[in-house]
Amino acid sequence: MKNSLKKLIIVANRLPFTIKSDLSFIKSPGGLVSGLTTFLKKSKIKDYVWIGWPGSHLNKSTFKIIKEKAKRLKNHPVFIPAKQFDKFYNGFCNKVLWPLFHGFPSHVVYDESYWETYIEVNKLFCNEVAKYVTLDSIIWIHDYHLLLLPSMIRNLFPSATIGFFLHIPFPPPELFMQLPWRKELLEGLLGCDLIGFHIYEYTANFLRTLSRTLGIDHKTGLILYQDRLIKVETFPMGIDFELFYNACEKRKIKKLVKNIKNQLKGKKIIFSVDRLDYTKGIYNRLLAFERLLLKRPDFHEKVVLIMVVVPSREGVEHYQRMKKQLEEKISEINGKFGKIHWIPVLYYYRSLDFEELVAHYLATDVILVTPLKDGMNLIAKEFVASRKDKRGVIILSEFAGSAKELGEAFIVNPNSIDELTNAIEKAFEISEEEQKERISSMQERLKRYNIIKWGNDFLTTLESLNEKKFKFSTQLLTPFLINEIKESFHKSSNKILFLDYDGTLVPLVSKPYLAAPDKELKNTFKITF
Ligand code: F6P
């Protein structure tokens, strides 16, 4: 991003800080928050504000104090009443858009009141954004919670510069078109100047959906819509490569790695860490581990699966049901195979802090990142970046966006338990030399396209569109322009005036001979035909 950066307005569902009931601030969870926070910090962008939900339902009497406190951190909370938030976040966002966009149409709950609340909450965000928009602001909206916001802002500020980035997959048209509100959602997004996706597949899905739903076509990702030029582009989100690469040198992390290894007394470690979500393929992972233990008795007592599941969206029934299903399977495996000195699956239902997370990445022999569908999946990238020792194997789902950049991983189809099991077996067999080759190539790529490059690419593209915007915009014939034309016409010694005819001086008609000038037009030009 050029240093001339104008004022940046970031809008996302979550603020980077969650405000607790005792009014203390803690860092919000999630890849979006950590990615954007790192980008803002590392690219030294100072002139910005971040608008979002404060992460919990707070008492109205505290709003003023919270606003003041948040403002010092450039945060501006959007307070959403609890009832409305339930229908918005648990409802439209996570029972409609999330399952459909991830290819789980049977999980979608079609409820008109969710949709109405989604519109209302997008309006709440719009009202807050409107307070900070100036002539030179750049508005960067994030994720599926705010698909209607771009057009709402555009209606208030027709010349605003607006970008949008989707952090989850964009589904193929056949799926998207199942939504009764498909047109409204697309028109909402078309308020943007730039729309970004993680990988080309999602960009192509979006462009195909536009053509089939609204009949809007594109030329190399450029769309002309309501006299505006909109660009649709791919920007694969990266990570803070150096942070993870150098983390192994930290004393605290070294100690934690040693602890994990000592506790497990030389056993091979398979690691998995995810937010609790049916899209992550966690259950299939357990089935594969169970099958491995059945197939390979020689692995008994020599291998453990450390499974970390991070609590998430506990207000949605599918998530509650899934937790139960996972925990039952884990007890079944441990009950069937475990011994007094060997628990095959070590299960944690909590989040890990940065040091603990990297220590697990470093202590691991094999990591399983096998979502059924995932926009990008930064865990895969973080694991690879952390391994300065060039050791370890990653088994990665072909349906994670990151698989496009991590081709040297063991790429699997997570729907096949056999394929997963075989991949784990094979992962234990490959030489240190091969591990090194694979990890090194992937690290080179991640180093080049890191989180800074991602953010800079998006914002520079958005800024460059501003110049094009002027070129393509319709020029109104103002009195000033009329005068300019008159003057140049009178001054010229060879006078020719080029005018558009069909559709300008006369209406468009089916046959050319019907396009005759009427009396008014003839009088205007004082010409006798
Ligand atoms: O992947 C989309 C995303 O919104 C991430 O940004 C975030 O890490 C994750 O989903 C969890 O989201 P939330 O806890 O806000 O529902």
Side-chain angles (χ1 to χ4, degrees):
M1 189 73 205
K2 287 177 223 153
N3 279 337
S4 65
L5 177 67
K6 296 161 186 164
K7 183 171 144 198
L8 183 61
I9 301 177
I10 290 190
V11 201
N13 180 47
R14 284 185 189 274
L15 280 178
F17 293 99
T18 294
I19 301 156
K20 300 214 311 196
S21 49
D22 63 356
L23 304 195
S24 60
F25 284 41
I26 54 160
K27 194 175 175 265
S28 298
L32 184 159
V33 163
S34 71
L36 272 179
T37 314
T38 314
F39 168 67
L40 290 170
K41 202 167 128 199
K42 293 257 164 139
S43 50
K44 299 194 174 65
I45 296 175
K46 297 237 160 39
D47 195 5
Y48 76 90
V49 290
W50 186 320
I51 294 166
W53 175 61
S56 49
H57 300 295
L58 302 148
N59 198 309
K60 230 175 171 178
S61 62
T62 60
F63 286 4
K64 208 171 157 211
I65 312 170
I66 291 168
K67 272 193 160 207
E68 280 308 309
K69 214 171 152 187
K71 199 173 159 188
R72 277 177 246 140
L73 298 165
K74 303 180 199 272
N75 284 203
H76 297 274
V78 179
F79 297 107
I80 310 170
K83 234 173 139 188
Q84 220 175 7
F85 188 78
D86 180 52
K87 290 192 171 198
F88 163 72
Y89 176 77
N90 291 326
F92 201 75
C93 296
N94 291 320
K95 284 189 207 163
V96 180
L97 296 178
W98 180 272
L100 195 77
F101 281 35
H102 283 86
F104 288 79
S106 60
H107 286 34
V108 176
V109 179
Y110 289 101
D111 183 328
E112 194 66 36
S113 72
Y114 291 169
W115 166 244
E116 281 153 16
T117 316
Y118 187 74
I119 302 176
E120 286 162 20
V121 173
N122 271 252
K123 273 188 194 149
L124 286 181
F125 274 84
C126 182
N127 294 342
E128 192 61 28
V129 173
K131 295 179 193 163
Y132 305 95
V133 178
T134 55
L135 262 184
D136 61 350
S137 341
I138 289 191
I139 305 158
W140 192 6
I141 303 166
H142 292 264
D143 233 355
Y144 61 105
H145 315 85
L146 301 170
L147 297 176
L148 300 177
L149 186 58
S151 285
M152 290 181 177
I153 301 176
R154 174 75 56 210
N155 288 340
L156 293 180
F157 304 97
S159 59
T161 305
I162 309 173
F164 178 93
F165 187 80
L166 186 72
H167 291 255
I168 64 171
F170 194 90
E174 300 75 40
L175 275 184
F176 186 85
M177 288 170 85
Q178 293 186 16
L179 286 169
W181 315 280
R182 57 200 184 188
K183 276 191 166 185
E184 291 84 341
L185 287 165
L186 290 177
E187 282 163 359
L189 265 181
L190 291 177
C192 287
D193 299 295
L194 175 64
I195 305 172
F197 298 94
H198 277 306
I199 59 171
Y200 179 70
E201 175 192 312
Y202 313 151
T203 307
N205 283 347
F206 176 73
L207 291 169
R208 284 199 299 136
T209 305
L210 261 190
S211 165
R212 286 188 46 188
T213 314
L214 299 178
I216 297 173
D217 288 319
H218 73 102
K219 264 201 186 122
T220 58
L222 280 174
I223 298 162
L224 195 57
Y225 176 70
Q226 295 183 343
D227 286 337
R228 283 187 301 110
L229 200 66
I230 303 168
K231 187 156 180 66
V232 183
E233 222 350 329
T234 307
F235 303 91
M237 190 174 185
I239 55 163
D240 185 351
F241 181 83
E242 302 299 330
L243 176 76
F244 284 93
Y245 191 67
N246 296 320
C248 59
E249 317 286 357
K250 281 190 163 188
R251 195 139 26 104
K252 190 173 168 197
I253 293 182
K254 277 186 181 162
K255 211 169 141 195
L256 285 169
V257 177
K258 214 169 150 192
N259 265 349
I260 300 170
K261 289 193 169 173
N262 283 346
Q263 293 286 329
L264 295 174
K265 299 196 179 72
K267 292 185 181 63
K268 291 276 181 205
I269 301 174
I270 305 175
F271 181 52
S272 123
V273 53
D274 295 279
R275 220 168 31 74
L276 178 77
D277 203 298
Y278 50 84
T279 59
K280 302 289 180 183
I282 309 174
Y283 191 72
N284 283 9
R285 236 170 268 172
L286 284 170
L287 293 182
F289 186 60
E290 184 183 36
R291 194 167 294 180
L292 180 81
L293 296 181
L294 280 172
K295 195 174 162 192
R296 297 286 302 262
D298 56 316
F299 280 177
H300 291 196
E301 298 171 52
K302 295 194 186 103
V303 61
V304 288
L305 167 63
I306 302 180
M307 178 165 270
V308 180
V309 178
V310 180
S312 173
R313 303 178 191 164
E314 287 165 326
V316 181
E317 301 77 35
H318 267 112
Y319 291 71
Q320 296 158 7
R321 245 179 279 153
M322 197 194 137
K323 179 172 183 272
K324 199 163 164 271
Q325 191 197 27
L326 287 181
E327 289 175 354
E328 279 171 9
K329 193 73 201 165
I330 291 170
S331 336
E332 195 189 321
I333 297 175
N334 284 342
K336 194 152 62 179
F337 300 99
K339 305 237 166 81
I340 195 150
H341 51 273
W342 176 51
I343 303 169
V345 185
L346 296 172
Y347 166 65
Y348 308 121
Y349 182 60
R350 62 178 174 89
S351 56
L352 301 181
D353 64 26
F354 175 75
E355 282 83 8
E356 284 177 306
L357 180 68
V358 178
H360 279 85
Y361 288 153
L362 289 167
T364 291
D365 295 284
V366 178
I367 188 167
L368 290 171
V369 186
T370 54
L372 304 176
K373 191 75 192 168
D374 208 335
M376 175 50 77
N377 198 302
L378 298 177
I379 286 167
K381 293 189 172 182
E382 289 170 7
F383 169 78
V384 171
S386 303
R387 299 306 297 252
K388 205 174 197 171
D389 60 353
K390 319 282 181 212
R391 294 285 318 276
V393 177
I394 173 166
I395 299 180
L396 180 60
S397 161
E398 62 181 287
F399 307 121
S402 50
K404 301 282 178 283
E405 290 165 88
L406 303 176
E408 293 80 3
F410 279 33
I411 303 289
V412 289
N413 178 343
N415 296 309
S416 162
I417 308 304
D418 258 351
E419 211 174 307
L420 283 176
T421 315
N422 294 341
I424 303 174
E425 268 187 291
K426 224 171 106 196
F428 284 136
E429 283 161 17
I430 67 165
S431 67
E432 285 187 18
E433 198 46 43
E434 188 176 343
Q435 292 178 28
K436 190 175 167 188
E437 264 173 40
R438 289 175 184 253
I439 294 274
S440 308
S441 314
M442 292 189 276
Q443 284 183 343
E444 276 312 305
R445 226 167 288 133
L446 296 182
K447 197 171 165 181
R448 251 180 282 134
Y449 203 87
N450 59 17
I451 186 75
I452 319 292
K453 188 89 179 47
W454 168 81
N456 279 343
D457 262 10
F458 188 93
L459 291 176
T460 355
T461 310
L462 184 53
E463 279 207 306
S464 73
L465 285 170
N466 256 337
E467 292 150 28
K468 285 204 184 109
K469 202 192 241 176
F470 181 74
K471 226 166 108 186
F472 278 81
S473 62
T474 311
Q475 296 279 310
L476 281 180
L477 216 48
T478 58
F480 174 79
L481 276 179
I482 294 174
N483 260 345
E484 257 199 332
I485 295 170
K486 270 186 187 167
E487 268 174 35
S488 328
F489 190 74
H490 288 309
K491 268 190 223 151
S492 165
S493 48
N494 295 312
K495 295 182 177 30
I496 307 178
L497 196 56
F498 289 97
L499 291 169
D500 184 43
Y501 187 70
D502 298 277
T504 305
L505 296 179
V506 293
L508 285 172
V509 283
S510 54
K511 303 270 184 268
Y513 58 81
L514 296 174
D518 60 14
K519 208 169 157 196
E520 192 190 346
L521 183 63
K522 285 180 187 168
N523 283 340
T524 309
F525 289 100
K526 296 195 180 72
I527 302 167
T528 316
F529 286 88

